[in-house]
Amino acid sequence: MLALAVGQVLFKLAARNMVDAAPLVQQILFNGHLWVALAVYAVATAFWIVLLRHIPLALAYPFVALAFFFVPLLGHWLLQEPLRWQNMVGGMFILLGVWISVGWKTRT
């Protein structure tokens, strides 16, 4: 889930580097942030597949929701984007939801 959040920050940086004047293909081919983001997602996907070989999907998947908590934080810290109180309240609900989902799944 942290790799998903880092990938999103890198995609945002890639988008910032794109300009309307240049052809899209050129912007994609020469955008380092974009290629690193895609590599992060590729590695994360490989780890996810390995993880799913050992853990039930119902137990692993709730952790994906944690990206919705970490992306606004990383956006604030690394991109100086505003962090609203609604982000934090929503993030707390997400943390609670993951805790309830995974906590109950591991006990039964």
Side-chain angles (χ1 to χ4, degrees), residues 9-105:
V9 170
L10 288 166
F11 281 133
K12 177 66 176 191
L13 290 171
R16 282 185 179 178
N17 289 339
M18 293 183 159
V19 293
D20 291 334
L24 182 60
V25 173
Q26 179 182 350
Q27 293 182 67
I28 290 171
L29 290 176
F30 299 109
N31 193 325
H33 288 112
L34 178 60
W35 290 104
V36 173
L38 292 171
V40 167
Y41 266 46
V43 170
T45 300
F47 278 120
W48 183 249
I49 292 168
V50 170
L51 180 77
L52 290 178
R53 292 179 62 205
H54 306 286
I55 297 174
L57 185 59
L59 182 62
Y61 198 71
F63 287 98
V64 173
L66 294 177
F68 290 98
F69 178 76
F70 287 113
V71 168
L73 290 176
L74 289 176
H76 177 70
W77 290 330
L78 301 175
L79 304 173
Q80 289 71 52
E81 294 186 346
L83 187 62
R84 304 173 321 137
W85 68 268
Q86 293 96 332
N87 296 118
M88 298 313 299
V89 172
M92 292 302 146
F93 278 113
I94 289 169
L95 290 175
L96 179 63
V98 171
W99 179 75
I100 290 170
S101 178
V102 173
W104 287 349
K105 292 284 184 197

